């Protein structure tokens, strides 16, 4: 009976809320793929526009995850049965060349580069991390509020990470010429000051500068109703100029940005 007596209030509240809204909140329909152009209220960026954003992420993001696989033959302290198993490890990244090939300081004792020498394929995953939290977070719907579904614990990440762009670069490792070492060292240490201790010729570990020669680019720009999701032609990735990526802005580079709300979908 107590529940039935509360229904009129819930009904009035629902009516009041609906009257205040200009339109109902539809559910998101395209999360992991792009909708037909006619089905979206937003202009989805082209693959080239997405490449420009991706090149900016590469320039501004000093960390990434390098993925390799263990060779079939085990060795050293490696357990048995790891052959063909994937491994992803954090790595310092720098954007020291103009063609979109990331630069790495390869410490030869590292498992990642041991796997590469053993014949492994390699890919680099990076995501955009905004330096400022949004002023406006993604909102719950009225029905979430009414039925208590928005009573969530404090979010440890102050933004919707899956709504932000990220990519995977697939390619192969290529050693840099010794003549380029000085320029690479200057660029890399500008991005990672502590890397000065592991530069080629250091007394601790053998190291060398290498590039990931990008052959394929997979891009997720955010949710599929407003962002491009799919493969970016590698020629587009490599043809982006510094002027182009310096002229765009990623979400959260400046204070005051807003995430989308469910009423925007």
């Amino acid at each position: 009976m107590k529940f039935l007596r509360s229904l009129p209030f819930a009904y009035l509240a629902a009516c009041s809320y609906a009257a205040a809204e200009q339109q109902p909140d539809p559910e998101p329909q395209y999360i992991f793929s792009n909708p037909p152009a006619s089905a979206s209220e937003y202009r989805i960026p082209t693959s080239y526009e997405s490449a420009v954003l991706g090149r900016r992420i590469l320039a501004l993001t000093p960390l990434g995850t390098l993925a390799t696989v263990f060779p079939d033959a085990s060795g050293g302290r490696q357990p048995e049965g790891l052959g063909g198993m994937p491994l992803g490890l954090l790595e310092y990244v720098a954007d020291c060349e103009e063609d979109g090939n990331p630069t790495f300081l390869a410490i030869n004792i590292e498992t990642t580069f041991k796997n590469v020498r053993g014949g492994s394929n390699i890919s680099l995953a990076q995501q955009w991390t905004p330096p400022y939290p949004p002023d406006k977070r993604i909102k719950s719907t009225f029905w979430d509020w009414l039925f208590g579904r928005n009573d969530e614990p404090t979010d440890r990440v102050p933004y919707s990470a899956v709504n932000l762009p990220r990519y995977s670069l697939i390619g192969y490792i290529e050693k840099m010429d010794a003549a380029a070492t000085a320029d690479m060292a200057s660029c890399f240490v500008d991005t990672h000051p502590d890397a000065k201790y592991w530069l080629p010729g250091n007394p601790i570990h053998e190291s060398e500068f290498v590039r990931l020669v990008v052959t394929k680019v997979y891009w997720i720009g955010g949710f599929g109703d407003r962002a491009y999701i799919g493969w970016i032609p590698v020629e587009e990735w490599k043809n982006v100029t510094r002027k182009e990526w310096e002229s765009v802005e990623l979400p959260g580079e400046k204070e005051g940005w807003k995430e989308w709300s469910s009423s925007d979908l």
Side-chain angles (χ1 to χ4, degrees):
M1 294 297 294
K2 182 178 180 180
F3 173 75
L4 292 176
R5 288 196 299 269
S6 68
L7 282 178
F9 169 77
Y11 176 77
L12 290 174
C15 290
S16 298
Y17 186 90
E21 292 289 305
Q22 294 183 356
Q23 59 184 14
D25 293 334
E27 294 297 322
Q29 297 178 357
Y30 301 97
I31 302 299
F32 300 112
S33 62
N34 292 320
S38 60
S40 177
E41 296 181 4
Y42 298 86
R43 188 187 72 82
I44 294 176
T46 66
S47 60
Y48 190 80
E49 290 169 333
S50 300
V52 174
L53 295 175
R55 289 290 301 276
R56 185 164 182 83
I57 293 175
L58 176 62
L60 300 181
T61 304
L63 301 175
T65 299
L66 281 177
T68 58
V69 295
F70 285 101
D72 292 333
S74 61
R77 302 176 184 176
Q78 176 178 311
E80 295 291 336
L82 287 181
M85 296 293 289
L87 178 75
L89 292 173
L90 180 74
E91 193 65 44
Y92 280 2
V93 186
D95 184 25
C96 295
E97 300 183 289
E98 295 296 327
D99 55 3
N101 290 330
T103 301
F104 302 95
L105 178 59
I107 311 298
N108 288 347
I109 198 174
E110 287 185 81
T111 301
T112 294
F113 296 104
K114 283 184 177 180
N115 287 349
V116 170
R117 292 195 299 274
S120 171
N121 295 322
I122 189 167
S123 65
L124 169 68
Q126 289 187 294
Q127 67 279 344
W128 171 241
T129 302
Y132 300 103
D135 282 355
K136 180 181 178 183
R137 292 300 313 273
I138 294 174
K139 297 187 299 183
S140 301
T141 67
F142 168 75
W143 299 109
D144 290 330
W145 170 82
L146 179 64
F147 292 105
R149 294 195 296 255
N150 65 337
D151 296 331
E152 300 177 354
T154 302
D155 196 344
R156 295 184 181 182
V157 180
Y159 51 83
S160 174
V162 294
N163 190 40
L164 294 173
R166 62 270 194 193
Y167 57 73
S168 182
L169 305 180
I170 301 171
Y172 59 91
I173 291 296
E174 182 177 83
K175 295 182 180 180
M176 294 190 180
D177 296 334
T181 296
D183 289 339
M184 292 301 106
S186 176
C187 170
F188 205 86
V189 171
D190 280 347
T191 304
H192 304 282
D194 59 327
K196 65 184 179 182
Y197 300 110
W198 300 286
L199 293 176
N202 77 83
I204 306 172
H205 294 300
E206 184 180 355
S207 65
E208 59 187 348
F209 283 107
V210 301
R211 64 174 62 89
L212 173 63
V213 180
V214 178
T215 58
K216 293 180 176 61
V217 181
Y218 190 74
W219 170 265
I220 300 178
F223 291 129
D225 71 324
R226 65 199 64 205
Y228 179 75
I229 296 176
W231 296 97
I232 293 176
V234 70
E235 296 81 8
E236 294 184 356
W237 178 265
K238 292 181 178 295
N239 287 339
V240 173
T241 66
R242 174 179 290 270
K243 182 178 181 180
E244 286 176 312
W245 67 253
E246 285 183 341
S247 68
V248 298
E249 183 178 311
L250 293 161
E253 282 196 57
K254 297 179 180 178
E255 294 180 290
W257 66 291
K258 296 178 175 59
E259 290 183 327
W260 55 264
S261 68
S262 57
S263 61
D264 293 329
L265 295 175

